[in-house]
Amino acid sequence: RGAEQVFMRQEVVAKKVVMIDNELFEKLRHLRRELAEAQHVPPFVIFSDQTLHEMCEKLPTDERAFLELKGVGHSKLEKYGKIFLDALTNYQTTKKEAH
């Protein structure tokens, strides 16, 4: 009744901050936009920004690793896997050659 103070403990969840390569992200966004325009669908139907960020972070090099990305199932792997894996590989090769 006001004589005793009660404190509530709140759990604080720290977000993992991951640095991604903006140049790669923009290349993947451009590729996604081209595919979306060709299919007359919004870009998020191809892949979400979150999936593109995860591609930049994990840099999958094969179908198994690509399937582990959030938002990628067998259907999207079949439709877009080779295109995006090739883009990721080409980017990494170009980046290595520049250094």
Side-chain angles (χ1 to χ4, degrees), residues 16-71:
K16 180 181 174 185
V17 176
V18 177
M19 295 298 292
I20 64 160
D21 187 330
N22 259 351
E23 184 182 347
L24 176 57
F25 180 72
E26 289 304 319
K27 286 183 182 294
L28 295 177
R29 279 187 57 196
H30 180 74
L31 177 58
R32 176 184 67 177
R33 185 174 35 251
E34 287 179 346
L35 292 168
E37 287 173 1
Q39 296 175 27
H40 306 290
V41 297
F44 70 84
V45 171
I46 309 293
F47 289 119
S48 69
D49 278 358
Q50 182 181 5
T51 303
L52 297 183
H53 281 290
E54 198 170 341
M55 284 182 204
C56 294
E57 178 187 343
K58 296 187 177 175
L59 299 170
T61 56
D62 58 27
E63 290 184 350
R64 174 178 280 155
F66 198 75
L67 263 176
E68 291 176 6
L69 300 173
K70 182 177 173 91

Side-chain angles (χ1 to χ4, degrees), residues 75-86:
S75 174
K76 288 193 178 183
L77 174 65
E78 274 185 37
K79 288 180 186 175
Y80 312 116
K82 181 169 177 18
I83 296 167
F84 279 86
L85 284 170
D86 285 349

